[in-house]
Amino acid sequence: HGLAEGAALHAQTSMFGTLGQKDGFVAVFPNGTGSPVQWNTTDQAGTNPDLEFVTALLAQVESTQCIDTSRVYASGFSDGSYMVSLLACTMSTHFAAIGAVSGLLLDKPCHTARLVPIITFHGTADPILYFNGGIGTALLHGLLGGSGTTAPSSTSTTTTTQPAKLHGPGVPATVQSWAVKNGCSPKSTDRKVSSQVTLRTYKCPATTSVEFY
């Protein structure tokens, strides 16, 4: 879930539970902590309680449900996208792939034990997590009722936006860095899938892929 949203809202908006009942997969909606509710996306070591929580969560679900442990995936939105980016770096042997919506990061260091396929989505007009980097702090604080939150240390903050650069810094550069990390070519191919949506792909090894909408 995103910052201040929580698991219940994310379950309603993603509708993964309904889709799971239809297509035959287990959907799990973890909840962060704090006020506003959020994820610890900055600490990679064993001192991160959210990483410990996810580890325990997987162990509990996999021991009580009929789970194919080779097909476990993590998806997240915004702050939750930051969290699944961290999971890709720290728990690559647990998750087959990640889906990051509005907030893919590449943490440093990022010592993956295997290549992690990624599908990610980010709008060029995102008013909070800007497409080319930075955070719309004024809007974010307004949505939180004037309270602040801590941005990732690697992310600068700004309150102005410029026309999106599709091959510029920020999200496009992060996606390319993940592609290179996964052994893909740094050169991408763009294909229009609708009037307002472009799919960017990379030539990758057979065991992985990086797709950016």
Side-chain angles (χ1 to χ4, degrees):
H1 65 75
L3 179 66
E5 291 184 345
L9 179 59
H10 194 60
Q12 294 173 2
T13 55
S14 70
M15 298 189 70
F16 278 150
T18 300
L19 186 63
Q21 290 178 330
K22 173 178 175 291
D23 289 348
F25 64 84
V26 175
V28 180
F29 301 94
N31 203 69
T33 57
S35 181
V37 62
Q38 58 191 288
W39 299 105
N40 183 336
T41 61
T42 58
D43 297 328
Q44 292 194 23
T47 56
N48 186 333
D50 284 349
L51 290 179
E52 295 176 359
F53 169 55
V54 172
T55 300
L57 174 71
L58 286 177
Q60 195 273 339
V61 173
E62 291 172 0
S63 66
T64 58
Q65 304 294 321
C66 183
I67 301 297
D68 180 352
T69 56
S70 69
R71 298 172 68 191
V72 178
Y73 306 91
S75 69
F77 169 68
S78 193
D79 188 42
S81 187
Y82 286 174
M83 187 61 190
V84 299
S85 299
L86 178 62
L87 296 179
C89 287
T90 58
M91 300 181 66
S92 62
T93 58
H94 292 77
F95 293 100
I98 67 164
V101 183
S102 302
L104 178 70
L105 291 180
L106 178 52
D107 296 294
K108 295 181 179 180
C110 181
H111 302 304
T112 55
R114 51 175 288 276
L115 304 180
V116 183
I118 291 172
I119 186 170
T120 186
F121 306 78
H122 208 109
T124 56
D126 191 318
I128 296 178
L129 299 179
Y130 295 148
F131 187 79
N132 290 127
I135 298 176
T137 52
L139 178 58
L140 180 61
H141 291 171
L143 292 173
L144 296 175
S147 61
T149 185
T150 301
S153 58
S154 61
T155 304
S156 62
T157 58
T158 180
T159 55
T160 60
T161 58
Q162 302 293 332
K165 298 178 181 178
L166 298 186
H167 290 276
V171 180
T174 298
V175 175
Q176 183 186 51
S177 295
W178 264 113
V180 171
K181 179 174 177 56
N182 273 349
C184 310
S185 168
K187 296 182 179 180
S188 60
T189 300
D190 287 359
R191 177 172 63 88
K192 295 285 286 187
V193 295
S194 76
S195 62
Q196 297 187 38
V197 179
T198 296
L199 169 59
R200 177 167 298 169
T201 56
Y202 296 82
K203 186 177 181 180
C204 297
T207 56
T208 191
S209 64
V210 175
E211 298 184 354
F212 176 27
Y213 286 87

